């Protein structure tokens, strides 16, 4: 069941007068009000008015609108005029005018472009960030990631504002979390936490801890999720009415549901829902209602689970998100199936299936990965430009040396000794210039190769995630429905059409078995539950027949390997065994796998018909290409020794340290 928490909070935080602590909002408003009433300079009153508008926006939009008008009235320069549009965008978002909010943020960026100051760059970064959040609110996760990478993050870097940069890195992590790319999300979350902790940004640090807890929970790394929750609670405890407690309870209930502590999950949702209602945070209340549904559903209490989903089905905020609709439709199908109301279960299953096919979820992940690669590619292009500049400088130096040589040659008769020395100098300099050219070309080649490897890694990771998703859908969705149909048919076997029904039941058994075989092949359950060694042993046993014997030997294989690395090794072994049985027609196979620290060794020997290893190296066969791609992904090497009609030996060495 998809259990991502889709939206991040709209981080509309101004840098106009330094970071503000929302946990002490009342004191902030009182201080700003005093400044506004006592200041004599228009520029100071404009600043105070804008900040009062921001602080009142989420409490009293009417009062916030009045302070915004005051700020614009006292605006003393073009910078303050431009900033007024930024605060207008915040107010428009709070009042639900999304189109007006988008226009205001873009207008602020346009007016701030001619102003070349750090604070102007910071405001532009935040304007783009908030514009991107509005795209995310409307379901465009890819658009939000695109804006962060192309606009908000580069502007924050130009401004040298580590706080704003950290907030954008945090939100980039959210886009990866929302598309189930948890390892990538972890990298950016930890970077953001480090910055927030260094600058003592209590509010932002609490948000980052909550996001980290959700990411680790969805990644099923519960031992890392709990410390994140505890850290967030420690920061929020002195402020029990903080709006961030709503997000904390959502993350906590997700953790309790994932760890099967359903009673505690229901307590967390009750606390969060009560607080969200007091603060009129409708969408956050609906998120918590969804976690309440999971708590009931996982306990098979379908009677209590059903009304929660029917309530959420009527909420426009919840249903505006495609991912939320997928969760609710699938939840309704499975709940009605649990209640034995099969017509309703079939109806909602059909609705879920149609929507899921239209979403192309895997394409979204690939697009976001491509954006990150483009971002990294831009950094590499900067390095390439630097190297080219050095190369041009070396060429200019060589040209100057040639001119000097011609000058010395014209006086060769009088200064023969000097000319000889100049000639030697010229030759040495030319060799040095040529060597530099060769070095630069080599560096350019290495950068291009590194980009190609990164692209290949992204493709392999996308392939494995798609296999996992399809396997889960086949097993949990269609497999469950087939099993339900079988049970219903079994109850009818005592009618006059018993023979025909038994025949249909037999066909269903065959279909279920084939479905489970396909799902197991795409993402083996033993690998996910028991680890790599058990999965390879299970694979060998499943491939053995009366004609084929496989001897599997393992030594030192660690379960602590990153799951992506385990999947890659499993696919290599699976391809080698398939080739030995299907193409080499081997009857005796020896498979040895061992690990020593960061080195993983694979040896496969068979008595098959063998092949020409040199020809195979040039072959474009899919099997060996897949093996080579995965070996390259783990920075390894492969050696093939094969004799026709005598058998084949394949040795592979993989580097598994730090893979993830």
């Amino acid at each position: 069941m998809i259990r991502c928490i889709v939206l991040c909070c709209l981080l509309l935080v101004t840098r106009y007068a330094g970071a503000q602590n929302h946990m002490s909002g009342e004191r902030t408003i009182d201080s700003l009000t005093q400044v506004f009433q006592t200041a004599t300079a228009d520029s100071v009153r404009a600043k105070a008015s804008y900040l009062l508008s921001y602080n009142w926006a989420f409490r009293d939009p009417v009062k916030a609108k009045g302070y915004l008008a005051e700020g614009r009235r006292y605006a003393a320069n073009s910078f303050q005029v431009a900033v007024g549009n930024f605060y207008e965008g915040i107010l428009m978002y709070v009042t639900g005018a999304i189109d007006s909010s988008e226009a205001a943020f873009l207008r602020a960026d346009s007016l701030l472009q001619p102003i070349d100051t750090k604070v102007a760059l910071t405001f532009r970064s935040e304007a783009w960030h908030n514009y991107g959040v509005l795209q995310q609110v409307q379901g465009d996760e890819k658009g939000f990631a695109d804006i962060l990478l192309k606009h908000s993050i580069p502007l924050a870097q130009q401004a040298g504002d580590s706080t704003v940069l950290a907030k954008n890195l945090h939100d980039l992590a959210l886009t990866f979390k929302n598309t189930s790319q948890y390892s990538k999300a972890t990298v950016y979350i930890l970077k953001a936490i480090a910055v927030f902790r260094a600058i003592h940004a209590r509010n932002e640090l609490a948000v980052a801890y909550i996001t980290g807890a959700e990411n680790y929970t969805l990644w099923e790394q519960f031992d890392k999720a709990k410390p994140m929750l505890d850290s967030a609670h420690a920061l929020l405890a002195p402020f029990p009415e903080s709006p961030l407690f709503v997000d904390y309870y959502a993350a906590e209930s997700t953790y309790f549901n994932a760890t099967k502590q359903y009673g505690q999950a229901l307590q967390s949702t009750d606390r969060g829902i009560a607080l969200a209602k007091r603060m009129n945070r409708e969408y956050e209340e609906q998120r918590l209602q969804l976690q309440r549904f999971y708590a009931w559903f996982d306990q098979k209490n379908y009677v209590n689970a059903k009304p929660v989903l029917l309530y959420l089905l009527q909420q426009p905020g919840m249903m505006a998100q495609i991912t939320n609709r997928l969760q609710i439709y699938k939840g309704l199908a499975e709940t009605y199936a649990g209640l034995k109301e099969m017509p309703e279960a079939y109806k909602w299953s059909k609705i879920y299936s149609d929507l899921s096919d239209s979403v192309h979820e895997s394409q979204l992940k690939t697009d976001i990965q491509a954006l990150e690669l483009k971002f990294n590619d831009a950094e590499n292009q900067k390095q390439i430009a630097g190297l080219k500049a050095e190369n041009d400088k070396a060429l200019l130096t060589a040209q100057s040396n040639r001119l000097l040589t011609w000058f010395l040659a014209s006086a060769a008769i009088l200064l023969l000794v000097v000319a000889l020395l100049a000639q030697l100098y010229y030759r040495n300099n030319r060799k040095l210039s040529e060597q530099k050219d060769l070095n630069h070309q080599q560096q350019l080649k290495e950068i291009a190769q590194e980009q190609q490897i990164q692209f290949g890694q992204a493709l392999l990771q996308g392939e494995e995630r798609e296999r996992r998703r399809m396997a889960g859908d086949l097993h949990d969705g269609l497999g469950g429905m087939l099993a339900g149909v079988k049970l219903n048919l079994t109850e009818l076997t005592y009618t006059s059409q018993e023979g025909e029904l038994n025949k249909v039941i037999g066909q269903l058994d065959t279909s279920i078995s084939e479905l489970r075989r396909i799902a197991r092949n795409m993402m083996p359950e033993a690998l996910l539950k028991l680890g790599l060694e058990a999965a390879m042993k299970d694979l060998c046993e499943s491939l053995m027949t009366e004609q084929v014997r496989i001897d599997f030997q393992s030594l030192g294989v660690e379960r602590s390997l990153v799951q992506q690395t385990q999947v890659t090794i499993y696919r290599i072994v699976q391809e080698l065994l398939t080739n030995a049985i299907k193409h080499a027609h081997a009857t005796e196979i020896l498979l040895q796998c061992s690990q020593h620290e960061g080195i993983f060794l694979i040896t496969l020997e068979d008595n098959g018909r063998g092949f020409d290893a040199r020809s195979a190296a040039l072959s474009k066969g899919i099997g060996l290409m897949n093996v080579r791609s995965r070996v390259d992904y783990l920075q390894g090497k492969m050696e093939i020794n094969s004799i026709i009609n005598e058998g084949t030996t394949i040795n592979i060495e993989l580097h598994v340290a730090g893979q993830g």
Side-chain angles (χ1 to χ4, degrees), residues 460 568 572 602 625-638 652-655:
L460 288 175
T568 302
I572 291 173
I602 302 172
M625 285 179 63
N626 286 339
V627 172
R628 290 193 183 101
S629 296
R630 289 182 168 91
V631 170
D632 290 341
Y633 171 62
L634 292 179
Q635 301 175 5
K637 54 187 178 181
M638 178 171 65
I652 296 176
E653 178 181 322
L654 305 173
H655 294 269

Side-chain angles (χ1 to χ4, degrees), residues 333 336 342-352:
Y336 278 117
M342 301 313 294
E344 285 294 313
Y346 175 78
K347 181 185 82 172
W348 289 108
S349 179
K350 180 71 167 56
I351 293 173
Y352 166 78

